[in-house]
Each structure stands twice: as C-alpha cells, then as structure tokens.
Amino acid sequence: MLLRLLRTHLVPYKRAIGLLVVLQLLQTCASLYLPTLNADIIDNGVVTGDTGYIMEFGALMIAVSVVQVLGQIGAVYYGARTASALGRDVRAAIFDRVQSFSAREVGQFGAPSLITRTTNDVQQVQMLVLMSFTLMVSAPIMCVGGIVMALGQDVPLSAVLLAVVPVLGISVSLIVKRMRPLFRAMQERLDTVNRVLREQITGNRVIRAFVRDEYEKKRFGGANTDLTEMQLATGRLMSLMFPVVMTVINVSSVAVVWFGAHRIDSGGMQIGALTAFLAYLMQIVMAVMMATFMFMMVPRAEVCAERIEEVLDTRSSVVPPEDPVLVLRRHGHLEVRGAEFRYPGAEEPVLRDVSLTARPGETTAVIGSTGSGKSTLLGLVPRLVDATAGEVLVDGENVRGLDPALLAKTVGLVPQKPYLFSGTVATNLRYGNPDATDEELWHALDVAQAKEFVTALEGGLDAPVAQGGTNVSGGQRQRLAIARTLVQRPEIYLFDDSFSALDYATDAALRAALARETAEATVVIVAQRVSTIREADRIIVMDEGRVVGEGRHHELMAGNETYREIVLSQLTEAEAA
C-alpha cells in the first residue's frame, strides 16, 4: 500500500527526485573520499614530516568537504520540498474523495477517523518520505561504497564486515516485524481519542447539564491510557534498536583495532590505513543506523498508508452521471416512485416502496413517528444518499442523471440539524448564492423572521458566526439556515423539521411569510409538530418506512388511525377539528 501510494503521488516530482539523488550521490562520494585523503596525509605527510604534502592534501580535503556540505544542503532542500508537496497532494486527494462521499460512506468511516487519516496519517507518510530522501537515499550508497573503500584499505581486515552487517540486518528485521501490528493498533486508538475528545467538546453543554464531568474524565482517561500503553509497548521495542546497533558497533570497533594492530605490527598495514578503515567502518555502521531509523518509521507509515488507501479506494455510492442533464424542461415538479433505501448489510430497509408527488405552488407535508424514514426520504432528493430501488424524479428526470450543480440549484434543503460555518452572517447566507446582494440577504432574513436579531448583532450582516453557529441559539440557527436557502432561490424547497426550535408565534409568522415567498415553488415539509403542517395541500403519513396515508388534514383525521394518533398526542379533539 505504501509503495502504491508513493508511486501514484510522486510521479509529478520525478525531476526533483532525480536531482536529489544526484546531490546525495555527490555528497556521499565526497564523504567516502575524505577518509582516504586523511590516510594519505597521515602516512605520507605526518609520518614523514612533509608539511607541503599536508597543506596540499589538506586544501583538497577542505574542497571535498565544501562539495559534501553543498550537496547535503541541496539534497535536504529538494527532499523537504518534495515531501511537503507529497503531503499536500495526499491531503488534497483525501479531501476530494471525502467530499464526494455520501452520508453512507462518511458514517462508515466516522468523522474522527477521517480527520486522523487526513492529518496524522498523512504526516507519518510525509515524514517517512522526508527521511528517505535525506537519509535512505544515501544509506545504501554509503554502505556499499564504505565496504568497497574498506576493502581498498585492507582486504583481510574486511572480514569483520562479514559478521557485522548480517547481525545488524537480522536484529533490526526481527524488531520491525513485531512493531507493525502495534503501530496499526496505535493509530486505531488515536482514532478513539479523537472521537471521545470531539464528542466531549461538541457535547459540552449536555455534559454540564447532567453533571457528567467525572464520567467523561474517566472515559477520556481510559482512551488516553489505552493509547499510552500502546505507545509504551511500541517504544519498548524501538528502544531495543539503538542498544543492539551500538553494541555491534563497539564490538566491531574493538575487533578492528585488535586485528589492525597485529596487521600494523607485522608490517601488512599502515597507521593511516587503519584510521581510514575505522572511519569506513563507522560510515558503514552509520548507514545501517540510518536504515535502522528508517525501518523504525516504515511499519507505522505502512499502516498509515493502508488507512489512507482505504479512503482513496472507497467509491461513493452517489456517483455523478457520465452524461449529465444540464437543462430541465419543467420547473419544480418532484416525484418519488417506489423508492427503497437499505443500508449495506441491514436486515430491513429504512424505506419501502415510498411514492409521492409534489407540484409547484403546493405544500406537501411528511409526518410520522421517530424513525419512520422521513429525513431519509428527503435526503434522496438532493442525493445525500441514493435510493437502492425505485426512482426520484425532478421535472421528469431521474436525479441520478442530473448535473450535480443543476440539482443543487434546483433543490434547496434546510437540514434537520442546521450547520453554520465560521465566518459572518453574510458569508453563511451567500453559501448557496455568492453573488447575492445585501438587499437580497436582508429580504431573506426578513422572511425567515431573523432580521430583528441580526440587526441587533454588532456588525449586522458582518457579525461573526462561530464554527457550527454555537454563538447563536438553536432557533436563530434554524432561521439563518432557512434564510440561507431562501437566498439560493431554488425551485424545490425541502424543510426537514426546520421549525422545531421555534416558538409557536415565530413558527406561524415564518410559515405565513414563506407561503408568500414560495407561492410558485414546490415545498416539502417534514415536521413533528402538527400545527406546522395541518394547512398543507397534501400530507404524507409514514410509519416504519412505508406510506400509510395521504390526503388533507380533515381527510386523514377521519380515515387514518396513525395520523389521528399523532394529532391527538399533541392537540385535543376540539383543537384538531
């Protein structure tokens, strides 16, 4: 998964990667050449007392060092730029894919996990790429080059390397193999911490209202402890790496000095050659250490890449049409024919054979008990989810074949839980129509019965709105959401229980103003409150995902027991009549 992800997203940066490899090769070759020069200075300059030789080769060493430094700086620069660009591209790819998801896919992953995958998981892959470009590219060159140069200094002494490299490789591979499943568990527990923390921040008022502070502290403490324990288990394995490597380094250094001293004593080796050999041994071991450091990061990055690819490989159940309809013949005619919706793996469908018709100039209401499928039915129209059977038609065209921009322009939805974005009142109202004038915004606020409280805000239309609209009340949030849809001026209005937070007086005034504003449009209202929908031209009664009644208020009161029970649970017999 990791290699596939990197192959896909590093292709645009082949030129930068090629230049980076050249620079790494240049600085590594310079590093490998320095011990040989140092050996020459010791054997031919220091031992013989030739100051001129020392100065000449010393200047050469300085020049080689400058080349090494410049190559390293250039390699790190291009490596950092490429790794950052990769992180940017992967984050953008995840964001684009998540934006295409329907409510089904978002629910499948969950918001906390999607956030972790977009931030922390991408960061782990990006860090691995940066370390690879700055360390891993030079490590094999350094290791192989060091072995070759060490052989050039003394072949018999190089037998030490035959024992050092395999021992290091086997030790590291055994540790890395055990680390991989721990890293996956660690990322999953990080998801859990994010989820719990997000719930506690979002539900802070509920926690305070029920005095559940201690319970939530324990719940977060449990998730935090689980993550800490997994990180400690991973850390214990990681802590074995460097002691093992350093032990091998020290033992091999002692072996080189021991056997090298005997070689010098027998005249088979010079002091400078032993110094160079020790330097090459350290370079070889440092290369292995760099590879070890990389191997410590690879398991976690692999797990993160798998989680990223899970998102990128998930196709939305709501697919844009290949040959979309760009123009509609009629204006605002909505029809649902035998619609069914079933979640993947569910035993029973949420909606079963639902049919209804809503026409321009009419108000169609949908009412039913909690869980009867009302909101799911409305979600089929703007394609928040797609029907698993049946059809949803707008102006005679199946919504699956409509251009998404055309569908969004034609259908305006006020969701059950209105969401306001951080910004100002004006930026939120212009969300569906960026070109709307201030006059249009004030008119929409007036119709939505929100003009009075927006005028009272400091700044009016420029008054700040917090993320989620948390700095306004629930009723104000609903009215701003209704005004946002009115600014869009769609031909089909869908109100999903959008008046539940309003008092009866505001509800009545809002419905009266909406009736005038949407006189020529198609209006579909989902509501729990009978007073909101009793004057509708057509009332659809739903129960357990089925349509069990259709008609006007007085007709349903006379002939539909389900509707009658709902009404009488809210009104007296006299009020209902």
Side-chain angles (χ1 to χ4, degrees):
M1 284 293 186
L2 178 61
L3 291 177
R4 190 178 80 173
L5 183 69
L6 296 182
R7 279 199 303 266
T8 303
H9 293 280
L10 286 178
V11 169
Y13 308 105
K14 288 190 292 187
R15 181 176 298 178
I17 294 173
L19 181 59
L20 182 151
V21 171
V22 171
L23 290 171
Q24 287 283 29
L25 179 63
L26 183 65
Q27 72 92 11
T28 305
C29 290
S31 298
L32 290 170
Y33 188 39
L34 285 174
T36 298
L37 288 175
N38 187 44
D40 284 344
I41 291 174
I42 292 173
D43 292 336
N44 302 320
V46 176
V47 173
T48 60
D50 189 344
T51 306
Y53 193 91
I54 295 172
M55 296 297 293
E56 179 183 351
F57 277 80
L60 181 59
M61 284 188 72
I62 293 173
V64 172
S65 298
V66 170
V67 171
Q68 177 196 8
V69 170
L70 292 178
Q72 183 67 23
I73 291 173
V76 171
Y77 172 77
Y78 283 105
R81 280 181 59 93
T82 306
S84 299
L86 171 75
R88 177 199 62 202
D89 294 348
V90 175
R91 281 191 297 271
I94 296 174
F95 179 81
D96 290 343
R97 181 51 54 87
V98 173
Q99 285 293 96
S100 72
F101 284 171
S102 70
R104 178 192 296 183
E105 287 77 40
V106 173
Q108 173 187 333
F109 286 102
S113 180
L114 289 174
I115 292 171
T116 305
R117 293 169 197 245
T118 309
T119 53
N120 187 271
D121 287 2
V122 174
Q123 185 180 17
Q124 296 301 325
V125 174
Q126 179 180 331
M127 186 62 65
L128 174 72
V129 171
L130 176 61
M131 292 297 102
S132 296
F133 287 155
T134 54
L135 298 179
M136 198 63 179
V137 171
S138 61
I141 303 173
M142 183 78 74
C143 185
V144 175
I147 292 173
V148 171
M149 298 298 284
L151 286 170
Q153 295 297 323
D154 192 82
V155 175
L157 197 57
S158 300
V160 175
L161 301 176
L162 296 177
V164 173
V165 176
V167 168
L168 281 176
I170 293 171
S171 303
V172 170
S173 62
L174 289 175
I175 295 174
V176 168
K177 185 177 180 181
R178 294 190 60 189
M179 287 171 64
R180 195 173 186 282
L182 294 179
F183 278 127
R184 169 166 283 280
M186 187 165 67
Q187 292 303 111
E188 291 172 353
R189 294 189 183 187
L190 183 61
D191 282 347
T192 303
V193 169
N194 281 341
R195 175 176 55 78
V196 173
L197 184 60
R198 190 168 182 267
E199 286 178 350
Q200 291 174 346
I201 293 173
T202 306
N204 182 263
R205 292 183 179 182
V206 178
I207 295 170
R208 295 293 176 84
F210 287 91
V211 196
R212 301 290 284 175
D213 304 65
E214 290 302 320
Y215 171 77
E216 291 299 330
K217 285 179 182 177
K218 290 178 181 177
R219 195 160 74 98
F220 179 78
N224 197 19
T225 302
D226 289 343
L227 176 60
T228 303
E229 289 176 352
M230 190 55 61
Q231 288 176 328
L232 286 172
T234 308
R236 291 187 191 102
L237 276 177
M238 292 175 66
S239 65
L240 289 176
M241 285 273 198
F242 288 106
V244 169
V245 171
M246 292 307 298
T247 299
V248 175
I249 290 174
N250 293 330
V251 171
S252 58
S253 298
V254 170
V256 167
V257 172
W258 177 267
F259 292 113
H262 287 288
R263 293 277 299 158
I264 293 172
D265 186 54
S266 64
M269 189 179 188
Q270 292 183 313
I271 296 175
L274 177 60
T275 305
F277 193 95
L278 282 170
Y280 287 127
L281 175 64
M282 291 305 298
Q283 286 183 340
I284 293 167
V285 174
M286 285 300 297
V288 175
M289 284 188 67
M290 287 190 287
T292 300
F293 185 68
M294 292 302 304
F295 285 135
M296 290 165 59
M297 300 181 67
V298 167
R300 188 171 186 180
E302 281 184 342
V303 169
C304 293
E306 287 178 7
R307 287 158 51 87
I308 291 169
E309 287 289 355
E310 283 176 7
V311 177
L312 297 179
D313 289 343
T314 300
R315 294 292 180 267
S316 174
S317 57
V318 177
V319 182
E322 294 182 1
D323 186 19
V325 175
L326 302 175
V327 180
L328 293 173
R329 298 187 300 276
R330 291 176 285 176
H331 299 285
H333 188 275
L334 172 64
E335 184 179 0
V336 180
R337 295 179 184 171
E340 178 187 284
F341 179 76
R342 182 192 300 266
Y343 285 103
E347 294 182 2
E348 297 292 334
V350 179
L351 298 175
R352 313 161 186 245
D353 193 28
V354 176
S355 298
L356 66 87
T357 301
R359 302 180 182 87
E362 294 182 352
T363 297
T364 302
V366 181
I367 194 169
S369 59
T370 302
S372 58
K374 305 183 298 298
S375 297
T376 304
L377 173 61
L378 249 59
L380 299 179
V381 183
R383 297 192 72 194
L384 301 184
V385 291
D386 270 343
T388 50
E391 292 181 304
V392 179
L393 307 175
V394 171
D395 292 337
E397 297 286 349
N398 193 317
V399 292
R400 294 174 182 264
L402 293 179
D403 178 66
L406 176 62
L407 181 61
K409 181 181 177 182
T410 306
V411 178
L413 171 67
V414 183
Q416 189 173 17
K417 296 179 180 179
Y419 189 90
L420 301 180
F421 295 90
S422 57
T424 64
V425 172
T427 57
N428 274 278
L429 295 184
R430 288 194 174 100
Y431 204 73
N433 182 7
D435 300 323
T437 63
D438 286 356
E439 289 74 16
E440 291 174 319
L441 300 187
W442 282 118
H443 175 71
L445 289 169
D446 189 29
V447 173
Q449 308 301 302
K451 184 176 182 179
E452 183 178 349
F453 85 79
V454 171
T455 304
L457 293 174
E458 185 177 350
L461 290 175
D462 294 323
V465 176
Q467 180 185 358
T470 54
N471 60 334
V472 295
S473 69
Q476 291 172 339
R477 199 155 50 240
Q478 281 192 338
R479 282 178 278 170
L480 288 175
I482 292 169
R484 178 171 58 193
T485 303
L486 290 171
V487 170
Q488 182 184 347
R489 302 193 69 81
E491 294 167 1
I492 299 174
Y493 288 87
L494 306 176
F495 296 99
D496 186 5
D497 204 12
S498 307
F499 313 103
S500 59
L502 306 180
D503 58 77
Y504 282 96
T506 306
D507 185 2
L510 176 55
R511 284 188 286 108
L514 274 176
R516 295 189 297 271
E517 185 72 13
T518 62
E520 297 180 358
T522 301
V523 178
V524 181
I525 299 176
V526 163
Q528 297 281 4
R529 192 184 291 173
V530 173
S531 59
T532 303
I533 55 96
R534 64 187 298 173
E535 300 301 329
D537 299 293
R538 185 182 300 99
I539 300 174
I540 308 295
V541 185
M542 295 189 66
D543 186 39
E544 296 184 354
R546 298 180 184 273
V547 174
V548 295
E550 180 176 347
R552 295 183 69 90
H553 173 73
H554 64 276
E555 297 170 347
L556 292 169
M557 280 296 293
N560 189 281
E561 189 61 32
T562 302
Y563 182 75
R564 184 178 175 83
E565 287 178 3
I566 294 172
V567 172
L568 294 180
S569 68
Q570 302 179 30
L571 307 173
T572 64
E573 189 79 43
E575 289 172 331

mmCIF file of all heavy atoms in Angstrom, residues 94-95 97-115 117 198 311 314-317 343 384-385:
data_model
loop_
_atom_site.group_PDB
_atom_site.id
_atom_site.type_symbol
_atom_site.label_atom_id
_atom_site.label_comp_id
_atom_site.label_asym_id
_atom_site.label_seq_id
_atom_site.Cartn_x
_atom_site.Cartn_y
_atom_site.Cartn_z
ATOM 1 N N ILE A 94 -7.392 13.057 -0.349
ATOM 2 C CA ILE A 94 -8.339 12.545 0.657
ATOM 3 C C ILE A 94 -9.522 13.486 0.780
ATOM 4 O O ILE A 94 -10.683 13.050 0.827
ATOM 5 C CB ILE A 94 -7.638 12.382 2.019
ATOM 6 C CG1 ILE A 94 -6.531 11.327 1.930
ATOM 7 C CG2 ILE A 94 -8.647 11.976 3.095
ATOM 8 C CD1 ILE A 94 -5.705 11.205 3.196
ATOM 9 N N PHE A 95 -9.240 14.792 0.833
ATOM 10 C CA PHE A 95 -10.329 15.772 0.966
ATOM 11 C C PHE A 95 -11.289 15.674 -0.222
ATOM 12 O O PHE A 95 -12.514 15.666 -0.038
ATOM 13 C CB PHE A 95 -9.747 17.182 1.067
ATOM 14 C CG PHE A 95 -10.784 18.260 1.191
ATOM 15 C CD1 PHE A 95 -11.370 18.535 2.414
ATOM 16 C CD2 PHE A 95 -11.183 18.987 0.089
ATOM 17 C CE1 PHE A 95 -12.329 19.521 2.530
ATOM 18 C CE2 PHE A 95 -12.144 19.978 0.187
ATOM 19 C CZ PHE A 95 -12.716 20.250 1.420
ATOM 20 N N ARG A 97 -11.833 13.114 -2.145
ATOM 21 C CA ARG A 97 -12.584 11.869 -2.098
ATOM 22 C C ARG A 97 -13.684 11.936 -1.026
ATOM 23 O O ARG A 97 -14.821 11.506 -1.262
ATOM 24 C CB ARG A 97 -11.641 10.702 -1.833
ATOM 25 C CG ARG A 97 -12.315 9.315 -1.781
ATOM 26 C CD ARG A 97 -13.204 9.070 -2.993
ATOM 27 N NE ARG A 97 -12.536 9.260 -4.240
ATOM 28 C CZ ARG A 97 -11.834 8.336 -4.878
ATOM 29 N NH1 ARG A 97 -11.751 7.126 -4.356
ATOM 30 N NH2 ARG A 97 -11.266 8.604 -6.036
ATOM 31 N N VAL A 98 -13.353 12.489 0.141
ATOM 32 C CA VAL A 98 -14.358 12.605 1.211
ATOM 33 C C VAL A 98 -15.490 13.526 0.778
ATOM 34 O O VAL A 98 -16.659 13.288 1.099
ATOM 35 C CB VAL A 98 -13.705 13.104 2.519
ATOM 36 C CG1 VAL A 98 -14.758 13.400 3.581
ATOM 37 C CG2 VAL A 98 -12.723 12.055 3.050
ATOM 38 N N GLN A 99 -15.161 14.575 0.022
ATOM 39 C CA GLN A 99 -16.198 15.486 -0.456
ATOM 40 C C GLN A 99 -17.178 14.782 -1.385
ATOM 41 O O GLN A 99 -18.337 15.178 -1.491
ATOM 42 C CB GLN A 99 -15.564 16.663 -1.207
ATOM 43 C CG GLN A 99 -14.895 17.684 -0.296
ATOM 44 C CD GLN A 99 -15.890 18.434 0.565
ATOM 45 O OE1 GLN A 99 -16.118 18.079 1.706
ATOM 46 N NE2 GLN A 99 -16.515 19.446 0.029
ATOM 47 N N SER A 100 -16.711 13.738 -2.044
ATOM 48 C CA SER A 100 -17.598 13.003 -2.960
ATOM 49 C C SER A 100 -18.427 11.951 -2.231
ATOM 50 O O SER A 100 -19.345 11.379 -2.820
ATOM 51 C CB SER A 100 -16.762 12.317 -4.051
ATOM 52 O OG SER A 100 -16.031 11.218 -3.528
ATOM 53 N N PHE A 101 -18.097 11.681 -0.962
ATOM 54 C CA PHE A 101 -18.812 10.641 -0.221
ATOM 55 C C PHE A 101 -20.253 11.054 0.059
ATOM 56 O O PHE A 101 -20.560 12.232 0.269
ATOM 57 C CB PHE A 101 -18.130 10.363 1.119
ATOM 58 C CG PHE A 101 -16.864 9.555 1.025
ATOM 59 C CD1 PHE A 101 -16.047 9.376 2.134
ATOM 60 C CD2 PHE A 101 -16.479 8.959 -0.174
ATOM 61 C CE1 PHE A 101 -14.885 8.639 2.057
ATOM 62 C CE2 PHE A 101 -15.316 8.221 -0.255
ATOM 63 C CZ PHE A 101 -14.520 8.065 0.855
ATOM 64 N N SER A 102 -21.117 10.075 0.087
ATOM 65 C CA SER A 102 -22.471 10.302 0.575
ATOM 66 C C SER A 102 -22.470 10.128 2.085
ATOM 67 O O SER A 102 -21.457 9.773 2.691
ATOM 68 C CB SER A 102 -23.434 9.304 -0.069
ATOM 69 O OG SER A 102 -23.197 7.996 0.419
ATOM 70 N N ALA A 103 -23.641 10.364 2.699
ATOM 71 C CA ALA A 103 -23.735 10.201 4.152
ATOM 72 C C ALA A 103 -23.394 8.775 4.573
ATOM 73 O O ALA A 103 -22.890 8.538 5.678
ATOM 74 C CB ALA A 103 -25.140 10.565 4.616
ATOM 75 N N ARG A 104 -23.622 7.813 3.668
ATOM 76 C CA ARG A 104 -23.341 6.398 3.986
ATOM 77 C C ARG A 104 -21.847 6.179 4.209
ATOM 78 O O ARG A 104 -21.437 5.560 5.196
ATOM 79 C CB ARG A 104 -23.843 5.508 2.853
ATOM 80 C CG ARG A 104 -23.553 4.031 3.065
ATOM 81 C CD ARG A 104 -23.797 3.220 1.807
ATOM 82 N NE ARG A 104 -25.192 3.232 1.411
ATOM 83 C CZ ARG A 104 -25.673 2.551 0.367
ATOM 84 N NH1 ARG A 104 -24.853 1.812 -0.364
ATOM 85 N NH2 ARG A 104 -26.948 2.609 0.058
ATOM 86 N N GLU A 105 -21.009 6.691 3.304
ATOM 87 C CA GLU A 105 -19.563 6.469 3.426
ATOM 88 C C GLU A 105 -18.974 7.254 4.605
ATOM 89 O O GLU A 105 -18.077 6.761 5.296
ATOM 90 C CB GLU A 105 -18.842 6.872 2.134
ATOM 91 C CG GLU A 105 -19.034 5.923 0.974
ATOM 92 C CD GLU A 105 -20.390 6.080 0.319
ATOM 93 O OE1 GLU A 105 -20.842 7.233 0.166
ATOM 94 O OE2 GLU A 105 -21.022 5.060 -0.024
ATOM 95 N N VAL A 106 -19.467 8.472 4.807
ATOM 96 C CA VAL A 106 -18.978 9.255 5.946
ATOM 97 C C VAL A 106 -19.293 8.533 7.252
ATOM 98 O O VAL A 106 -18.460 8.442 8.161
ATOM 99 C CB VAL A 106 -19.600 10.662 5.946
ATOM 100 C CG1 VAL A 106 -19.215 11.413 7.216
ATOM 101 C CG2 VAL A 106 -19.143 11.451 4.727
ATOM 102 N N GLY A 107 -20.494 7.978 7.344
ATOM 103 C CA GLY A 107 -20.858 7.218 8.536
ATOM 104 C C GLY A 107 -20.048 5.946 8.683
ATOM 105 O O GLY A 107 -19.766 5.496 9.803
ATOM 106 N N GLN A 108 -19.663 5.353 7.553
ATOM 107 C CA GLN A 108 -18.879 4.111 7.590
ATOM 108 C C GLN A 108 -17.516 4.338 8.250
ATOM 109 O O GLN A 108 -17.071 3.540 9.080
ATOM 110 C CB GLN A 108 -18.690 3.592 6.163
ATOM 111 C CG GLN A 108 -17.758 2.398 6.033
ATOM 112 C CD GLN A 108 -17.491 2.045 4.575
ATOM 113 O OE1 GLN A 108 -18.318 2.322 3.692
ATOM 114 N NE2 GLN A 108 -16.353 1.459 4.303
ATOM 115 N N PHE A 109 -16.836 5.422 7.879
ATOM 116 C CA PHE A 109 -15.524 5.710 8.460
ATOM 117 C C PHE A 109 -15.644 6.446 9.784
ATOM 118 O O PHE A 109 -14.898 6.172 10.720
ATOM 119 C CB PHE A 109 -14.692 6.559 7.488
ATOM 120 C CG PHE A 109 -14.168 5.805 6.308
ATOM 121 C CD1 PHE A 109 -14.766 5.917 5.067
ATOM 122 C CD2 PHE A 109 -13.072 4.975 6.432
ATOM 123 C CE1 PHE A 109 -14.286 5.226 3.973
ATOM 124 C CE2 PHE A 109 -12.569 4.280 5.348
ATOM 125 C CZ PHE A 109 -13.190 4.406 4.113
ATOM 126 N N GLY A 110 -16.562 7.385 9.862
ATOM 127 C CA GLY A 110 -16.688 8.230 11.041
ATOM 128 C C GLY A 110 -15.827 9.467 10.910
ATOM 129 O O GLY A 110 -14.693 9.408 10.403
ATOM 130 N N ALA A 111 -16.345 10.602 11.356
ATOM 131 C CA ALA A 111 -15.618 11.870 11.229
ATOM 132 C C ALA A 111 -14.261 11.860 11.942
ATOM 133 O O ALA A 111 -13.262 12.316 11.363
ATOM 134 C CB ALA A 111 -16.492 13.019 11.729
ATOM 135 N N PRO A 112 -14.151 11.341 13.190
ATOM 136 C CA PRO A 112 -12.834 11.357 13.849
ATOM 137 C C PRO A 112 -11.770 10.586 13.072
ATOM 138 O O PRO A 112 -10.628 11.030 12.961
ATOM 139 C CB PRO A 112 -13.118 10.701 15.211
ATOM 140 C CG PRO A 112 -14.576 10.920 15.449
ATOM 141 C CD PRO A 112 -15.208 10.826 14.093
ATOM 142 N N SER A 113 -12.137 9.431 12.530
ATOM 143 C CA SER A 113 -11.166 8.641 11.779
ATOM 144 C C SER A 113 -10.750 9.352 10.500
ATOM 145 O O SER A 113 -9.568 9.354 10.132
ATOM 146 C CB SER A 113 -11.754 7.265 11.443
ATOM 147 O OG SER A 113 -10.814 6.492 10.724
ATOM 148 N N LEU A 114 -11.688 9.990 9.815
ATOM 149 C CA LEU A 114 -11.360 10.724 8.591
ATOM 150 C C LEU A 114 -10.422 11.884 8.896
ATOM 151 O O LEU A 114 -9.505 12.178 8.119
ATOM 152 C CB LEU A 114 -12.635 11.230 7.913
ATOM 153 C CG LEU A 114 -13.515 10.163 7.262
ATOM 154 C CD1 LEU A 114 -14.815 10.764 6.761
ATOM 155 C CD2 LEU A 114 -12.781 9.478 6.106
ATOM 156 N N ILE A 115 -10.633 12.550 10.027
ATOM 157 C CA ILE A 115 -9.755 13.648 10.414
ATOM 158 C C ILE A 115 -8.349 13.129 10.700
ATOM 159 O O ILE A 115 -7.343 13.699 10.252
ATOM 160 C CB ILE A 115 -10.322 14.383 11.643
ATOM 161 C CG1 ILE A 115 -11.615 15.122 11.263
ATOM 162 C CG2 ILE A 115 -9.302 15.374 12.209
ATOM 163 C CD1 ILE A 115 -12.354 15.700 12.440
ATOM 164 N N ARG A 117 -6.947 10.388 9.558
ATOM 165 C CA ARG A 117 -6.328 9.916 8.308
ATOM 166 C C ARG A 117 -5.835 11.089 7.464
ATOM 167 O O ARG A 117 -4.805 10.987 6.785
ATOM 168 C CB ARG A 117 -7.327 9.077 7.513
ATOM 169 C CG ARG A 117 -7.689 7.756 8.189
ATOM 170 C CD ARG A 117 -8.869 7.080 7.500
ATOM 171 N NE ARG A 117 -9.480 6.053 8.353
ATOM 172 C CZ ARG A 117 -9.501 4.753 8.079
ATOM 173 N NH1 ARG A 117 -8.956 4.306 6.982
ATOM 174 N NH2 ARG A 117 -10.077 3.910 8.906
ATOM 175 N N ARG A 198 -13.681 14.777 20.543
ATOM 176 C CA ARG A 198 -14.620 15.522 19.698
ATOM 177 C C ARG A 198 -16.026 15.488 20.296
ATOM 178 O O ARG A 198 -16.742 16.493 20.304
ATOM 179 C CB ARG A 198 -14.618 14.910 18.295
ATOM 180 C CG ARG A 198 -15.356 15.722 17.242
ATOM 181 C CD ARG A 198 -15.030 15.170 15.864
ATOM 182 N NE ARG A 198 -15.672 15.940 14.821
ATOM 183 C CZ ARG A 198 -16.852 15.651 14.305
ATOM 184 N NH1 ARG A 198 -17.514 14.599 14.752
ATOM 185 N NH2 ARG A 198 -17.384 16.402 13.361
ATOM 186 N N VAL A 311 -9.481 5.013 2.299
ATOM 187 C CA VAL A 311 -10.340 6.153 1.949
ATOM 188 C C VAL A 311 -10.310 6.392 0.437
ATOM 189 O O VAL A 311 -11.354 6.552 -0.203
ATOM 190 C CB VAL A 311 -9.898 7.420 2.706
ATOM 191 C CG1 VAL A 311 -10.737 8.620 2.284
ATOM 192 C CG2 VAL A 311 -10.006 7.202 4.205
ATOM 193 N N THR A 314 -12.249 3.878 -1.615
ATOM 194 C CA THR A 314 -13.698 3.794 -1.389
ATOM 195 C C THR A 314 -14.420 4.672 -2.399
ATOM 196 O O THR A 314 -14.146 5.866 -2.506
ATOM 197 C CB THR A 314 -14.058 4.245 0.041
ATOM 198 O OG1 THR A 314 -13.388 3.389 0.973
ATOM 199 C CG2 THR A 314 -15.557 4.164 0.275
ATOM 200 N N ARG A 315 -15.311 4.061 -3.138
ATOM 201 C CA ARG A 315 -16.094 4.805 -4.129
ATOM 202 C C ARG A 315 -17.423 5.203 -3.506
ATOM 203 O O ARG A 315 -18.062 4.417 -2.808
ATOM 204 C CB ARG A 315 -16.329 3.952 -5.378
ATOM 205 C CG ARG A 315 -15.057 3.639 -6.154
ATOM 206 C CD ARG A 315 -14.489 4.919 -6.787
ATOM 207 N NE ARG A 315 -13.264 4.672 -7.544
ATOM 208 C CZ ARG A 315 -12.044 4.790 -7.053
ATOM 209 N NH1 ARG A 315 -11.891 5.139 -5.787
ATOM 210 N NH2 ARG A 315 -10.987 4.570 -7.794
ATOM 211 N N SER A 316 -17.837 6.420 -3.786
ATOM 212 C CA SER A 316 -19.104 6.898 -3.240
ATOM 213 C C SER A 316 -20.266 6.141 -3.864
ATOM 214 O O SER A 316 -20.231 5.769 -5.040
ATOM 215 C CB SER A 316 -19.257 8.398 -3.512
ATOM 216 O OG SER A 316 -20.524 8.853 -3.106
ATOM 217 N N SER A 317 -21.275 5.889 -3.056
ATOM 218 C CA SER A 317 -22.490 5.261 -3.585
ATOM 219 C C SER A 317 -23.320 6.259 -4.388
ATOM 220 O O SER A 317 -24.246 5.871 -5.098
ATOM 221 C CB SER A 317 -23.328 4.698 -2.426
ATOM 222 O OG SER A 317 -23.637 5.714 -1.497
ATOM 223 N N TYR A 343 -29.426 0.287 4.114
ATOM 224 C CA TYR A 343 -28.005 0.407 4.428
ATOM 225 C C TYR A 343 -27.310 -0.926 4.152
ATOM 226 O O TYR A 343 -27.935 -1.983 4.266
ATOM 227 C CB TYR A 343 -27.804 0.800 5.893
ATOM 228 C CG TYR A 343 -28.120 2.243 6.175
ATOM 229 C CD1 TYR A 343 -29.313 2.607 6.796
ATOM 230 C CD2 TYR A 343 -27.231 3.255 5.816
ATOM 231 C CE1 TYR A 343 -29.611 3.942 7.053
ATOM 232 C CE2 TYR A 343 -27.522 4.582 6.070
ATOM 233 C CZ TYR A 343 -28.711 4.920 6.689
ATOM 234 O OH TYR A 343 -28.996 6.240 6.928
ATOM 235 N N LEU A 384 -28.173 13.105 -1.063
ATOM 236 C CA LEU A 384 -27.302 12.858 0.077
ATOM 237 C C LEU A 384 -27.035 11.361 0.173
ATOM 238 O O LEU A 384 -25.954 10.932 0.578
ATOM 239 C CB LEU A 384 -27.953 13.367 1.367
ATOM 240 C CG LEU A 384 -28.292 14.860 1.415
ATOM 241 C CD1 LEU A 384 -28.845 15.222 2.779
ATOM 242 C CD2 LEU A 384 -27.088 15.711 1.080
ATOM 243 N N VAL A 385 -28.043 10.581 -0.185
ATOM 244 C CA VAL A 385 -27.909 9.150 -0.415
ATOM 245 C C VAL A 385 -28.748 8.831 -1.640
ATOM 246 O O VAL A 385 -29.641 9.594 -2.012
ATOM 247 C CB VAL A 385 -28.391 8.302 0.791
ATOM 248 C CG1 VAL A 385 -27.459 8.461 1.974
ATOM 249 C CG2 VAL A 385 -29.810 8.669 1.193
#
